[in-house]
Amino acid sequence: MDTNQCFHCGLDVVESDTIHLDGKTFCCAGCKTVYEIFSSNGMDCYYDFQQSPGATPQEIKGKYDFLDNPEIAEKLLEFNESETAIVSLYIPHIHCSSCIWVLENLQRLQGGITQSQVNFPQKKVRITYKPHLVSLKEMVLLLSSIGYEPYISLEQYESGKHKVDRSLTYKLGVAFFCFGNIMLLSFPEYFEVSEFWLDQYKGFFRWLIFALALPSFLYSASGYYQAAYKSMRAGLLNIEIPIALGIIVMFVRSTFDMLMNYGPGFFDSMTGLVFFMLLGKTFQTKTYSFLSFERDFKSYFPIAVSRIRGNLEENVAVYDIVKGDRLLIRNQELIPVDGILISATAEIDYSFVSGEANPVFKQSGDKVYAGGKQVGQVIEMEVLHSVSQSYLTQLWSNDVFQKKVNQKHKSITDTVSRYFTPALLLISVIGFGIWIPSDTNTAFNVFTAVLIVACPCALALTAPFTLGNMLRILGNQKFYLKNATVIEQLAQADTIVFDKTGTITTNAGAAITYQGEALSEEQTLVLKNVLRASNHPLSRMLYNHLPSAARMSVALFEEIPGKGIVASVQGINYKVGSASFTGSAATSEMHQTAVHIQINDTYIGKFVFNNQYRHGLSELFEKLSQKYTLKVLSGDNEGEREVLQKILPVGTELVFNQTPEQKLEFVKNLQHQGAKVMMVGDGLNDAGALAQSDVGIAIAENVNVFSPACDAILDASQFEKLWYFLKLSHGSMRTIVMSFGLSLLYNAVGLSFALTGHLQPLVAAIIMPLSTITIVSFVTMMTNFYARFMRK
């Protein structure tokens, strides 16, 4: 009976049952419909990535009607505002590049979807959409109709738990059972014991060993066969192909030996091979899970939040927030948790979450979502849930905020991996051909050992484990990186630009004096409340300097970056900021850092700051000047030039009176000259420059100001360690190069032993996962070594 393959899903179908369209064959109407959907939307290239990549869509009529209930749908959403909603859906069928491509182009299939992003390891797609144009149910039905039905369990969403895949553990257990029992039954064969009962039942034991080998061969090793099959269907050659081939060759040869009564075969070696391969795979999986846990739950953002208790405000870490707490959110502060707005009104900028720049207007009692940024006057909110670190990390890692970086180690890994498997297959065939005329037994051993012992896994693991461990080390020392690529960006930097106020100066310990008309008690009270909503370093210092005051309502509040604050309280207009912004006619400000006050268009006076520079600043700049070009930018006047010239090394460029826009242009000009620029700022007025730079570092000092454009956050208390952190980034790159060499050396030595017939397949199976353990141990020891000894 003639059969064809379905063009969409690849299933075999009898000629009489096929459906034809455009010269292509389909197994059912569902597959034909998916093809028509893709064709009509100009997405035919879905089939170019991999032959027959799709899945047959299932009948789902009425299955997802429960999503019409807004209360149920709300539980599935990560974010939901009038214009934008975000949902993450688990899709078990994601398995190849075609899947990723079509799921990241859903906006071409359905109006109202603005963006979709696939997390391939977790088999999830995160969809951003407009709820007034498309519903959650419609998107789920769309996904189901094209063969990517999501798995939705409300119970899991509510509990926060996800189904754990234990298939690898089960396979490992079966492999161990088979391997152990076959070894036990093979002892008489090993020692060639001649005894009547053993000789009498030798055939029975061999068939028992064969039966025990089947579960290991068919079940435990099935993952390698599936991966190899999918790879070949896609026209690729991955590492699973030689492994699967080695296992099959050993099984077929052992079965042949047993049937022809040539001997017991190599079932012990085969099951041992499967067991040790799965053991190595389990080790890798556990290690990756550990690194992921470290990244999501331990290396948390060092942002502090102002919590209100009675009449007191206190700064607490985000992880100390619990349900029911009342938080104070100032202008430009990140909302770290979901909550209910207590203040009368608020304007929340959700561009960090949705990419929409227009602030969303909120009223008292409305729900506000984590990741939004308060714009305008200070607000109060009540916490609904404790902070979700994984959610904040995901926001920070949004593709919108990623920078292009040339990852040299990745290109080396990709090149080696591409040619590794074809070269390995060629070497194994050549080795087999050389040995077969003289020794058939050795020829098969050589063929199998070559396929098993050589592995690019150790090479591929080098960079992830090195950079992953360094992320953990830096996080423990309060230097928090967006992702592992930032380490390579740090190592490539040759020019460092520092902001002055709030970066090389500290909020603590600065002496503040007032010059001008005496402020009344009421004016001081109003000024304190106006400053309460601002997060500028000078505003925070002045706010802490002024005496405690009762809270009062600020009718109008606007903070203009690089200039100052405009506010209105009880019909009286206030301006707080730079000399030019407040209309100061004085000239002495050219030699001072000051915050000027204007009330009802009349200049009143100024608060003068005697800047306190961070501990260890001079020593840090002295070390950095040995290797980097240093620049200091400031929005202040030149009053501190002489002081800075005495503190900082000769050759440090000082540039004053810089607006946020001018700082951005300054960084851009340096890049046009070929410089790799690292920008260090406070994250507020420097957001543009941080985004433009090759690597941007925001200094955090007890404030909840966070720019998604920054690549790293450095706790202010660790500022003097910046030189040490940069040395660690270079140490990480050296570790990657050394472990590359170690991996290549392992493969060269292993292959030489295998080709000369001195390496048994079982030993090769033990050595292969050991190579992974060796590389992981090496990079862990080296990164820990650098972390300990580079302090000196």
Side-chain angles (χ1 to χ4, degrees):
M1 190 176 291
D2 293 335
T3 60
N4 294 311
Q5 275 196 329
C6 176
F7 179 73
H8 176 70
C9 70
L11 292 177
D12 290 333
V13 56
V14 179
E15 178 63 37
S16 58
D17 295 334
T18 55
I19 299 173
H20 297 280
L21 178 70
D22 295 342
K24 297 173 176 62
T25 302
F26 301 93
C27 65
C28 63
C31 287
K32 180 177 78 75
T33 302
V34 176
Y35 170 76
E36 288 177 320
I37 292 172
F38 289 158
S39 298
S40 62
N41 287 279
M43 296 172 70
D44 309 66
C45 54
Y46 169 72
Y47 299 99
D48 296 340
F49 290 91
Q50 184 168 327
Q51 186 182 358
S52 306
T56 306
Q58 304 298 314
E59 178 60 44
I60 54 168
K61 186 176 181 181
K63 184 175 179 180
Y64 293 104
D65 287 348
F66 66 90
L67 293 177
D68 286 328
N69 186 325
E71 291 182 6
I72 294 176
E74 180 71 26
K75 292 178 181 178
L76 304 179
L77 300 179
E78 291 181 0
F79 178 85
N80 186 22
E81 283 296 342
S82 56
E83 291 293 318
T84 305
I86 299 174
V87 64
S88 285
L89 297 171
Y90 172 61
I91 300 182
H93 185 67
I94 297 177
H95 70 285
C96 67
S97 52
S98 297
C99 305
I100 296 172
W101 183 82
V102 74
L103 290 172
E104 291 194 342
N105 283 277
L106 292 176
Q107 67 274 13
R108 295 168 63 175
L109 295 176
Q110 177 69 60
I113 297 177
T114 55
Q115 183 190 27
S116 51
Q117 188 176 354
V118 173
N119 183 330
F120 186 72
Q122 295 184 9
K123 295 185 181 293
K124 283 186 176 181
V125 60
R126 188 169 188 260
I127 303 172
T128 304
Y129 66 99
K130 298 184 182 296
H132 60 283
L133 296 178
V134 60
S135 69
L136 178 59
K137 179 184 173 183
E138 287 173 325
M139 291 193 302
V140 169
L141 292 176
L142 168 69
L143 288 167
S144 301
S145 70
I146 59 174
Y148 293 99
E149 184 178 2
Y151 175 74
I152 297 176
S153 167
L154 292 176
E155 187 178 329
Q156 287 180 1
Y157 277 91
E158 289 172 359
S159 65
K161 296 178 182 177
H162 297 280
K163 188 178 180 181
V164 179
D165 184 7
R166 292 192 173 89
S167 60
L168 182 59
T169 307
Y170 298 149
K171 288 176 181 177
L172 181 65
V174 170
F176 178 68
F177 174 81
C178 297
F179 173 52
N181 282 282
I182 289 174
M183 288 284 286
L184 186 66
L185 293 170
S186 299
F187 268 111
E189 302 275 4
Y190 295 153
F191 299 108
E192 297 181 351
V193 177
S194 181
E195 201 269 332
F196 174 77
W197 288 108
L198 289 175
D199 293 338
Q200 193 76 10
Y201 289 98
K202 186 177 285 186
F204 169 75
F205 282 121
R206 286 182 178 178
W207 280 106
L208 184 59
I209 288 170
F210 174 78
L212 284 168
L214 284 176
S216 180
F217 176 72
L218 297 174
Y219 173 67
S220 296
S222 60
Y224 294 109
Y225 310 143
Q226 291 167 1
Y229 174 68
K230 287 176 182 177
S231 174
M232 288 189 292
R233 274 182 57 188
L236 303 172
L237 292 174
N238 65 10
I239 190 59
E240 275 82 6
I241 292 174
I243 292 173
L245 187 59
I247 295 170
I248 292 169
V249 166
M250 289 185 77
F251 181 80
V252 172
R253 184 196 166 193
S254 299
T255 306
F256 178 78
D257 283 356
M258 189 189 72
L259 291 173
M260 302 303 294
N261 203 28
Y262 291 158
F266 299 90
F267 290 117
D268 52 348
S269 298
M270 188 211 74
T271 51
L273 168 68
V274 173
F275 170 68
F276 285 111
M277 295 289 292
L278 291 174
L279 191 65
K281 195 173 184 180
T282 303
F283 172 79
Q284 291 176 23
T285 304
K286 293 290 184 185
T287 307
Y288 274 124
S289 299
F290 171 73
L291 288 177
S292 176
F293 177 82
E294 287 278 300
R295 181 71 188 98
D296 285 345
F297 295 96
K298 291 189 178 178
S299 299
Y300 52 80
F301 296 141
I303 50 178
V305 182
S306 295
R307 182 168 62 189
I308 300 172
R309 290 211 166 160
N311 293 321
L312 297 175
E313 294 175 19
E314 57 180 356
N315 281 329
V316 296
V318 287
Y319 277 78
D320 292 334
I321 301 170
V322 294
K323 182 179 180 181
D325 279 352
R326 179 173 287 205
L327 305 182
L328 182 76
I329 309 294
R330 297 183 177 87
N331 180 42
Q332 298 299 312
E333 277 192 346
L334 183 77
I335 297 172
V337 291
D338 293 349
I340 299 296
L341 182 66
I342 295 174
S343 301
T345 59
E347 288 191 51
I348 312 295
D349 175 6
Y350 282 116
S351 58
F352 190 9
V353 183
S354 63
E356 297 290 335
N358 296 327
V360 177
F361 182 77
K362 292 287 183 182
Q363 292 183 312
S364 183
D366 287 348
K367 184 176 181 180
V368 291
Y369 289 91
K373 201 158 60 171
Q374 162 59 8
V375 180
Q377 61 188 338
V378 67
I379 62 168
E380 293 182 16
M381 60 172 281
E382 185 174 316
V383 176
L384 281 179
H385 308 289
S386 57
V387 68
S388 169
Q389 175 59 33
S390 55
Y391 179 65
L392 292 178
T393 304
Q394 189 177 36
L395 289 180
W396 195 16
S397 299
N398 194 315
D399 280 351
V400 176
F401 308 119
Q402 299 303 314
K403 297 175 182 176
K404 291 182 180 178
V405 56
N406 179 25
Q407 293 179 269
K408 295 178 183 176
H409 66 81
K410 193 171 188 299
S411 60
I412 295 170
T413 305
D414 291 344
T415 304
V416 172
S417 299
R418 187 179 304 121
Y419 298 109
F420 190 92
T421 300
L424 186 60
L425 291 169
L426 182 62
I427 291 170
S428 63
V429 171
I430 291 172
F432 182 80
I434 292 171
W435 279 98
I436 194 70
S438 57
D439 190 338
T440 305
N441 191 50
T442 304
F444 275 102
N445 281 344
V446 167
F447 181 77
T448 310
V450 168
L451 291 174
I452 300 304
V453 75
C455 181
C457 300
L459 199 66
L461 289 173
T462 290
F465 275 85
T466 303
L467 300 177
N469 196 47
M470 190 53 72
L471 274 178
R472 182 187 61 80
I473 290 169
L474 294 174
N476 287 340
Q477 300 194 47
K478 300 183 179 181
F479 187 36
Y480 307 93
L481 307 188
K482 178 186 289 186
N483 50 45
T485 59
V486 178
I487 297 173
E488 190 161 358
Q489 290 170 277
L490 288 169
Q492 292 173 2
D494 55 30
T495 302
I496 306 178
V497 179
F498 289 89
D499 177 50
K500 182 177 81 74
T501 306
T503 303
I504 64 174
T505 64
T506 176
N507 295 356
I512 304 174
T513 56
Y514 178 72
Q515 299 174 7
E517 293 181 26
L519 292 170
S520 67
E521 188 175 327
E522 184 180 352
Q523 288 173 331
T524 304
L525 170 66
V526 171
L527 183 59
K528 176 93 172 178
N529 277 274
V530 169
L531 292 169
R532 186 169 178 244
S534 172
N535 251 316
H536 190 279
L538 294 179
S539 298
R540 302 312 309 145
M541 283 191 274
L542 185 54
Y543 176 80
N544 293 329
H545 170 75
L546 295 174
S548 299
R551 293 179 205 156
M552 60 191 308
S553 174
V554 178
L556 169 70
F557 179 94
E558 182 183 2
E559 190 163 11
I560 304 170
K563 294 183 178 181
I565 301 168
V566 178
S568 177
V569 180
Q570 296 177 351
I572 302 174
N573 299 322
Y574 290 80
K575 276 190 175 183
V576 182
S578 65
S580 58
F581 183 63
T582 55
S584 169
T587 56
S588 60
E589 69 266 16
M590 291 305 293
H591 308 289
Q592 297 170 330
T593 297
V595 171
H596 299 259
I597 312 297
Q598 183 195 89
I599 301 177
N600 277 342
D601 298 325
T602 303
Y603 181 78
I604 302 298
K606 62 186 177 183
F607 288 90
V608 179
F609 294 76
N610 178 17
N611 282 320
Q612 181 76 28
Y613 291 96
R614 294 196 185 279
H615 177 70
L617 177 67
S618 182
E619 293 84 352
L620 172 65
F621 268 65
E622 196 63 48
K623 291 176 181 175
L624 291 173
S625 64
Q626 299 169 17
K627 190 170 181 179
Y628 300 93
T629 303
L630 303 179
K631 319 276 184 184
V632 175
L633 303 182
S634 176
D636 294 340
N637 53 60
E638 301 204 13
E640 298 279 317
R641 180 180 287 275
E642 290 184 13
V643 176
L644 285 171
Q645 285 175 338
K646 291 177 183 177
I647 295 174
L648 305 181
V650 176
T652 303
E653 184 180 356
L654 305 175
V655 186
F656 294 91
N657 299 305
Q658 296 289 293
T659 63
E661 293 77 17
Q662 288 172 324
K663 291 178 183 179
L664 188 151
E665 286 301 316
F666 185 88
V667 170
K668 195 180 288 185
N669 289 335
L670 287 174
Q671 290 172 324
H672 287 160
Q673 296 167 25
K676 295 287 186 182
V677 181
M678 182 175 98
M679 174 76 192
V680 186
D682 61 21
L684 189 60
N685 290 329
D686 312 316
L690 288 169
Q692 179 62 40
S693 65
D694 295 285
V695 54
I697 300 175
I699 301 292
E701 188 169 36
N702 287 331
V703 289
N704 183 14
V705 179
F706 175 66
S707 169
C710 72
D711 301 290
I713 307 172
L714 176 61
D715 191 285
S717 64
Q718 305 297 308
F719 178 75
E720 61 184 308
K721 288 186 180 179
L722 191 57
W723 166 245
Y724 163 63
F725 294 142
L726 288 168
K727 285 205 297 182
L728 283 183
S729 69
H730 287 281
S732 299
M733 295 300 108
R734 279 197 295 273
T735 300
I736 289 174
V737 172
M738 286 189 290
S739 51
F740 269 167
L742 196 63
S743 300
L744 293 172
L745 179 65
Y746 155 77
N747 281 291
V749 172
L751 284 172
S752 64
F753 273 87
L755 285 169
T756 54
H758 292 102
L759 189 66
Q760 293 296 317
L762 180 59
V763 178
I766 296 171
I767 291 174
M768 184 185 165
L770 281 178
S771 70
T772 301
I773 296 170
T774 304
I775 288 297
V776 172
S777 302
F778 174 76
V779 299
T780 303
M781 285 191 297
M782 286 304 299
T783 47
N784 289 338
F785 170 81
Y786 283 132
R788 180 171 297 181
F789 291 99
M790 278 190 169
R791 293 174 184 271
K792 300 175 182 179

